[in-house]
Amino acid sequence: MKHFIFACFFGLTVGTAQADLRIFATVPEWGALAQEIGGGKVKVYTATTAFQDPHRIDARPSLLAQARQANLVVAAGADLEIGWLPLVLRDSGNSGIQTGQPGYFAAANFVNRLEVPATLDRAHGDVHAAGNPHTHLDPRNVLKVGMALTARMAELDAANAAAYQAGYQAFAGKWQAALARWQTEAAPLKGAPVLVHHASFAYLLNWLGMKEVGTLEPKPGIEPTSGQLTSLLARQQSAPAKMVLRAAYQQPGPSQWIAGKTGMPAVLLPYTVGGTAEAKDLFGLFDDTVQRLLKGLR
Amino acid sequence: MQKSFAMAALLAASCGAQAASDADLAAIRAQIDDMKRTYEQRIAALEQRLVQAESRVGEPAASAPSAPAPITAESRPSAAGPNAFNPEISLILQGQYRHARNVPGRGITGFVPGGDGLNTRGFSVDETELVLAANIDPYWRGQAIVAMADGQASIEEAWFQSLAIGQGVGLKVGRFRSSIGYLNEQHPHMWDFADAPLIYQAMFGEDASYVQDGVQLKWLAPTALFVELGAEVGRGANFPGTDRNNNGTGGGALYVHLGDDVGVSNSWRAGASWLKTRASERSSDFVDSNDVTAQGAFAGDSTTWLADFVWKWAPNGNSAHQNFKFQSEYFVREEQGGLNCSSQDPTSVCATSVGSSYKTRQSGWYAQGVYQFTPQWRAGLRYEQLDSGTRDFGLNAANLVVDSYRPKKASAMVDYSWSEFSRVRLQVAQDKSMLGITDHQLTLQYVMSLGAHGAHKF
């Protein structure tokens, strides 16, 4: 009997060890990237959707249960998930995914971050000490993160290392081609001044050479106020913006108000995979983003 | 690049040189040299910045889809200096204006008081909480919460927890808020109302939370459904137990929590907990049959059962703009042991102390709903009811007045948050927790969090 129980327990342990690499992605974009690289060898759980503000997520019981079983946590990093992820990691009882372990991967650590604040003071709002965390909207960053993520996946699951590398190669090849296409298509956007709801698009605007001339939020993480909106309206005379951008998870009210007053289009961008019907995957995300921006410019 | 520029400049200069004098030539040369030097300096500076940037990114330019063979180095935000290892520090400022009836010795009728009831009115500052937390090493994380008030600083929590055990096991050692129930673990600044539910005050005294000095072991099941089992043992010094100088343990708890999502918009957690404590000489005031104050000292066991339930809803699971939270908890406590009645007053029937058996079974519950209807405004309602239940004092039943009462309270609140870190709240309540008194309370409260951005539990 004892042997039987032992055998069962052993079998269970081995069984879990041979299962797919289980990936817990905090945000849809990095979940999608892990899926591109891992293909059928990985099981990706994405903790949030494109309609949820990634700063404001509850440490839900379901997230703890998923983190408990994950081999790899893929986070955006740069404090984006600071309000919930540290708690999920610590209470998961999973030693492999703690910060500093190979099972914890923060995308923002592998790219050049923008808007790293020189001074840290909450008088400037909910600032991120490590810089703007919305790094994925520069498609060149997606490649950098993909390369590092592939290496990490290969490290954790050496048996499938070749498959991950092949997956990344195939993805990167298609991505290069798409990148060239997006850059050509987006050429007219260069220099276009825009308003944004929150600084979620810093990397996108930087990549496309567009200019952010104002944010609807008076300070990061503080909801748009009527005072801020009126001051933007006044500024529209001297430094006119061409459109006002918001992510799928942000409320439409403020940007529609500005749009109504000024006549500029309010453009909803998917922000991440799943944010619009067209943004089914990472390619769709950028296809749709570029198309929506071009439409806004017209 | 600087070469071609210099060549072009020389060429341009030589064209003009035909008509220029030697002095002009020298001047132009000096100018060119000057420009060259400036550009060389700027290029060197740019190169240096490029090297720095590359070392920060830690990989070659990512434009070519090369094989990921050169493992990319992970860059960290540069954090140098001896302060870099300082723990996360946050400070909670909390205070209020309170309008209520003056009821000296405020308590809950039918329940043994776990401390002096709060009768503070007007302006007051609550305890200021200082939170320090950090990873100790790869294996442990520590946290201390010090509550500061006039002339005193008390250790609310001081514990370390495991990071490296794995297999779903978590270990916490030190002084911690017990994981029984739902609200028990939350500090006052996380509460949705200005005060704790009556049942928490009745069961655990004025701090409205059961705090254990001891060890907590919990295990999270490897299932998609959240199943967490926990056990705690410790000193058991806090109400309803008492501190004793003993070997072994004075109290223990067991709990189970379940939770999951329903669709993308709903999530829930439910739990059941059991708490056992021992008391010796737990003294509280009674009124005897001659209407004289007498002290009753309880010695025996307390067993508390708790059931808790939380439901959260947010459209598309996006709680930033709108969300609704429902929570309810039900408590039953049984106490069994002996009661020794004594009094300093010679007119008391307990002037010579009387021992008797003691057996009680008391219960209570609360239910509350809080709706955030815009990103900054929330409103909530809470209703609570307690039942003093059965109180069998044996021989002392003839000596002491045994109140039988069902305390009730209804509260409504509305709060406004400028950001995640600042909140002000207005609460009105009709409090019938004392027999014959209906207290209409008004509280205007602020809660401010400074410093590190702590993560909050579900």
XYZ file of all heavy atoms in Angstrom, chain A residues 136-189:
408
model
N 5.122 47.880 -25.021
C 4.851 47.004 -26.169
C 4.372 47.739 -27.397
O 4.335 47.158 -28.474
C 3.800 45.967 -25.774
C 2.448 46.577 -25.525
N 2.160 47.283 -24.381
C 1.323 46.616 -26.283
C 0.903 47.713 -24.448
N 0.378 47.318 -25.586
N 3.966 49.029 -27.271
C 3.392 49.693 -28.435
C 4.455 50.225 -29.401
O 4.124 50.858 -30.384
C 2.427 50.797 -27.999
C 1.068 50.227 -27.553
C 0.143 51.319 -27.078
C 0.400 49.445 -28.686
N 5.715 49.959 -29.121
C 6.762 50.133 -30.129
C 7.094 48.727 -30.616
O 7.661 47.930 -29.872
C 7.994 50.794 -29.501
C 9.097 51.044 -30.528
O 9.091 50.347 -31.567
O 9.945 51.917 -30.286
N 6.733 48.404 -31.870
C 6.887 47.014 -32.317
C 8.349 46.540 -32.296
O 8.609 45.341 -32.256
C 6.322 47.029 -33.741
C 6.259 48.451 -34.140
C 6.133 49.260 -32.894
N 9.290 47.468 -32.293
C 10.702 47.058 -32.190
C 10.971 46.482 -30.812
O 11.783 45.577 -30.645
C 11.612 48.256 -32.489
C 11.443 48.766 -33.917
C 12.072 50.118 -34.116
N 11.484 51.147 -33.249
C 11.802 52.429 -33.288
N 12.714 52.842 -34.143
N 11.232 53.297 -32.488
N 10.261 46.996 -29.811
C 10.401 46.442 -28.467
C 9.864 45.019 -28.394
O 10.365 44.203 -27.624
C 9.647 47.317 -27.453
C 10.378 48.604 -27.150
O 11.558 48.740 -27.489
N 9.694 49.538 -26.519
N 8.825 44.751 -29.175
C 8.240 43.407 -29.157
C 9.314 42.380 -29.558
O 9.409 41.304 -28.972
C 7.020 43.347 -30.098
C 6.505 41.923 -30.227
C 5.913 44.267 -29.578
N 10.142 42.753 -30.547
C 11.219 41.843 -30.965
C 12.248 41.655 -29.856
O 12.702 40.538 -29.597
C 11.922 42.397 -32.200
C 11.308 42.068 -33.556
C 12.202 42.591 -34.648
C 11.083 40.575 -33.722
N 12.624 42.753 -29.221
C 13.622 42.665 -28.143
C 13.106 41.789 -27.018
O 13.811 40.918 -26.508
C 13.924 44.060 -27.577
C 14.645 44.981 -28.532
C 14.937 46.297 -27.837
C 15.415 47.344 -28.831
N 15.642 48.633 -28.203
N 11.869 42.046 -26.616
C 11.286 41.264 -25.530
C 11.151 39.807 -25.966
O 11.432 38.886 -25.191
C 9.925 41.860 -25.108
C 9.219 40.944 -24.128
C 10.117 43.235 -24.505
N 10.755 39.616 -27.224
C 10.588 38.252 -27.738
C 11.884 37.469 -27.667
O 11.897 36.288 -27.278
N 12.969 38.133 -28.011
C 14.278 37.460 -27.988
C 14.641 37.047 -26.554
O 15.049 35.911 -26.295
C 15.334 38.413 -28.549
C 16.676 37.761 -28.780
S 17.886 38.992 -29.281
C 17.452 39.177 -30.999
N 14.433 37.957 -25.640
C 14.760 37.653 -24.236
C 13.813 36.603 -23.673
O 14.231 35.720 -22.917
C 14.674 38.932 -23.410
N 12.557 36.684 -24.068
C 11.567 35.734 -23.562
C 11.863 34.327 -24.085
O 11.739 33.338 -23.356
C 10.163 36.185 -23.972
C 8.989 35.342 -23.476
C 8.978 35.256 -21.956
C 7.660 35.925 -23.961
N 12.285 34.260 -25.344
C 12.644 32.959 -25.927
C 13.781 32.329 -25.131
O 13.738 31.145 -24.791
C 13.074 33.143 -27.395
O 12.024 33.821 -28.079
C 13.340 31.812 -28.058
N 14.785 33.149 -24.833
C 15.918 32.634 -24.061
C 15.459 32.140 -22.704
O 15.900 31.091 -22.210
C 16.958 33.738 -23.896
N 14.523 32.888 -22.089
C 14.046 32.512 -20.775
C 13.237 31.217 -20.828
O 13.375 30.337 -19.988
C 13.185 33.636 -20.196
C 12.789 33.417 -18.752
C 13.997 33.384 -17.824
N 14.680 34.655 -17.772
C 14.329 35.652 -16.969
N 13.329 35.510 -16.152
N 14.999 36.777 -16.988
N 12.392 31.114 -21.846
C 11.588 29.901 -21.995
C 12.482 28.698 -22.247
O 12.244 27.607 -21.720
C 10.562 30.077 -23.118
C 9.429 31.015 -22.732
S 8.502 31.694 -24.128
C 7.711 30.225 -24.764
N 13.524 28.909 -23.041
C 14.467 27.823 -23.327
C 15.214 27.414 -22.056
O 15.498 26.235 -21.845
C 15.446 28.261 -24.403
N 15.505 28.392 -21.224
C 16.212 28.103 -19.972
C 15.339 27.262 -19.046
O 15.805 26.310 -18.413
C 16.569 29.437 -19.303
C 17.372 29.305 -18.019
C 17.529 30.652 -17.305
O 17.343 31.705 -17.943
O 17.821 30.633 -16.094
N 14.057 27.602 -18.986
C 13.151 26.905 -18.076
C 12.726 25.549 -18.609
O 12.409 24.647 -17.847
C 11.901 27.760 -17.826
C 12.102 28.994 -16.967
C 10.884 29.890 -17.037
C 12.363 28.604 -15.511
N 12.685 25.409 -19.905
C 12.192 24.186 -20.535
C 13.177 23.793 -21.632
O 12.898 23.943 -22.821
C 10.792 24.466 -21.103
C 10.161 23.233 -21.720
O 10.690 22.125 -21.493
O 9.151 23.379 -22.418
N 14.333 23.303 -21.198
C 15.430 23.035 -22.133
C 15.025 22.025 -23.204
O 15.493 22.084 -24.353
C 16.648 22.535 -21.356
N 14.138 21.096 -22.858
C 13.736 20.064 -23.811
C 13.117 20.672 -25.063
O 13.250 20.138 -26.158
C 12.754 19.104 -23.142
N 12.443 21.810 -24.883
C 11.770 22.426 -26.032
C 12.498 23.673 -26.543
O 11.913 24.461 -27.287
C 10.331 22.783 -25.651
C 9.459 21.555 -25.533
O 9.549 20.639 -26.358
N 8.643 21.501 -24.500
N 13.754 23.826 -26.130
C 14.495 25.046 -26.491
C 14.501 25.277 -27.993
O 14.282 26.394 -28.468
C 15.913 24.967 -25.944
N 14.736 24.203 -28.748
C 14.816 24.351 -30.205
C 13.481 24.819 -30.766
O 13.429 25.667 -31.666
C 15.229 23.023 -30.830
N 12.408 24.271 -30.214
C 11.076 24.646 -30.704
C 10.804 26.125 -30.424
O 10.252 26.829 -31.271
C 10.012 23.784 -30.027
N 11.225 26.600 -29.244
C 11.005 28.011 -28.910
C 11.813 28.907 -29.840
O 11.337 29.939 -30.301
C 11.371 28.293 -27.446
C 10.526 27.525 -26.460
C 11.081 27.013 -25.291
C 9.178 27.296 -26.713
C 10.305 26.304 -24.389
C 8.397 26.583 -25.820
C 8.964 26.084 -24.656
O 8.196 25.383 -23.780
N 13.049 28.476 -30.112
C 13.873 29.301 -30.997
C 13.306 29.335 -32.407
O 13.271 30.387 -33.041
C 15.312 28.807 -30.976
C 16.071 29.533 -29.864
C 17.321 28.838 -29.408
O 17.856 28.026 -30.145
N 17.762 29.149 -28.211
N 12.828 28.169 -32.845
C 12.210 28.124 -34.171
C 10.958 29.003 -34.187
O 10.705 29.727 -35.155
C 11.869 26.686 -34.533
N 10.193 28.936 -33.112
C 8.976 29.741 -33.008
C 9.301 31.219 -33.072
O 8.631 31.983 -33.777
N 10.356 31.608 -32.374
C 10.739 33.015 -32.381
C 11.224 33.439 -33.768
O 10.873 34.513 -34.257
C 11.823 33.282 -31.336
C 12.331 34.703 -31.405
C 11.525 35.753 -30.972
C 13.580 34.999 -31.939
C 11.953 37.059 -31.057
C 14.014 36.308 -32.021
C 13.204 37.342 -31.583
O 13.624 38.640 -31.680
N 12.047 32.564 -34.407
C 12.553 32.870 -35.749
C 11.409 33.137 -36.712
O 11.420 34.112 -37.450
C 13.390 31.693 -36.275
C 14.720 31.507 -35.580
C 15.655 32.678 -35.784
O 15.569 33.356 -36.802
N 16.518 32.936 -34.825
N 10.431 32.229 -36.663
C 9.307 32.361 -37.588
C 8.553 33.659 -37.299
O 8.204 34.414 -38.218
C 8.382 31.159 -37.439
N 8.352 33.917 -36.010
C 7.631 35.128 -35.620
C 8.405 36.369 -36.042
O 7.862 37.293 -36.649
C 7.401 35.132 -34.110
C 6.894 36.439 -33.582
C 5.568 36.812 -33.784
C 7.733 37.306 -32.896
C 5.086 38.029 -33.320
C 7.261 38.520 -32.429
C 5.945 38.889 -32.634
N 9.715 36.368 -35.741
C 10.531 37.556 -36.014
C 10.596 37.841 -37.518
O 10.586 39.001 -37.931
C 11.928 37.373 -35.427
N 10.638 36.781 -38.314
C 10.663 36.963 -39.774
C 9.413 37.684 -40.244
O 9.475 38.689 -40.971
N 8.277 37.173 -39.806
C 6.998 37.796 -40.193
C 6.914 39.220 -39.637
O 6.404 40.123 -40.290
C 5.827 36.966 -39.627
C 5.493 35.744 -40.446
C 4.157 35.148 -39.992
C 4.280 34.430 -38.673
N 3.018 33.968 -38.104
N 7.435 39.375 -38.414
C 7.352 40.684 -37.743
C 8.157 41.727 -38.489
O 7.714 42.859 -38.667
C 7.833 40.532 -36.294
C 7.441 41.673 -35.404
C 8.240 42.673 -34.958
C 6.148 41.929 -34.850
N 7.537 43.525 -34.157
C 6.236 43.094 -34.066
C 4.909 41.284 -34.937
C 5.151 43.635 -33.376
C 3.830 41.812 -34.238
C 3.958 42.969 -33.477
N 9.370 41.328 -38.952
C 10.216 42.255 -39.721
C 9.476 42.764 -40.941
O 9.484 43.963 -41.233
C 11.505 41.547 -40.153
C 12.511 41.348 -39.053
C 13.073 42.660 -38.543
O 13.051 43.651 -39.238
N 13.548 42.667 -37.316
N 8.855 41.816 -41.633
C 8.135 42.201 -42.856
C 6.998 43.152 -42.504
O 6.792 44.181 -43.172
C 7.604 40.951 -43.553
N 6.284 42.801 -41.437
C 5.141 43.628 -41.036
C 5.611 45.007 -40.584
O 4.989 46.020 -40.886
C 4.366 42.933 -39.927
N 6.747 45.015 -39.891
C 7.298 46.265 -39.372
C 7.584 47.234 -40.515
O 7.229 48.418 -40.452
C 8.578 45.947 -38.593
C 9.242 47.042 -37.785
C 8.274 47.625 -36.767
C 10.465 46.491 -37.062
N 8.190 46.683 -41.578
C 8.496 47.525 -42.745
C 7.202 48.072 -43.339
O 7.111 49.251 -43.701
C 9.262 46.705 -43.779
N 6.190 47.198 -43.407
C 4.909 47.613 -43.973
C 4.273 48.717 -43.113
O 3.838 49.743 -43.635
C 3.989 46.389 -44.054
C 2.692 46.635 -44.803
C 1.840 45.388 -44.882
N 1.127 45.121 -43.641
C 1.237 44.005 -42.948
N 2.047 43.029 -43.356
N 0.543 43.836 -41.829
N 4.266 48.500 -41.790
C 3.653 49.502 -40.908
C 4.360 50.848 -41.031
O 3.741 51.889 -41.035
C 3.705 49.029 -39.444
C 2.868 47.825 -39.171
C 1.656 47.530 -39.727
C 3.186 46.747 -38.285
N 1.199 46.331 -39.249
C 2.107 45.824 -38.352
C 4.255 46.457 -37.445
C 2.089 44.645 -37.610
C 4.226 45.295 -36.699
C 3.160 44.391 -36.787
N 5.691 50.769 -41.124
C 6.439 52.023 -41.173
C 6.126 52.793 -42.449
O 6.022 54.012 -42.434
C 7.937 51.758 -41.006
C 8.293 51.738 -39.520
C 9.639 51.143 -39.205
O 10.212 50.458 -40.037
N 10.125 51.366 -38.003
N 5.978 52.041 -43.551
C 5.637 52.697 -44.811
C 4.238 53.295 -44.725
O 4.021 54.456 -45.072
C 5.685 51.671 -45.970
O 6.809 50.834 -45.774
C 5.750 52.354 -47.319
N 3.317 52.473 -44.255
C 1.929 52.925 -44.180
C 1.782 54.137 -43.271
O 0.985 55.034 -43.532
C 1.034 51.799 -43.641
C 0.725 50.726 -44.650
C -0.017 49.537 -44.019
O -0.259 49.556 -42.794
O -0.341 48.613 -44.754
N 2.568 54.117 -42.177
C 2.378 55.142 -41.144
C 3.163 56.415 -41.439
O 3.122 57.351 -40.644
C 2.772 54.579 -39.791
N 3.873 56.452 -42.570
C 4.712 57.615 -42.866
C 3.957 58.943 -42.741
O 4.493 59.906 -42.192
C 5.340 57.464 -44.249
N 2.695 59.015 -43.224
C 1.991 60.310 -43.120
C 1.756 60.765 -41.683
O 1.425 61.935 -41.461
C 0.644 60.043 -43.815
C 0.810 58.782 -44.575
C 1.885 57.997 -43.929
N 1.884 59.844 -40.733
C 1.600 60.215 -39.346
C 2.734 60.995 -38.710
O 2.568 61.606 -37.652
C 1.349 58.941 -38.511
C 0.101 58.144 -38.875
C 0.138 56.776 -38.224
C -1.149 58.893 -38.435
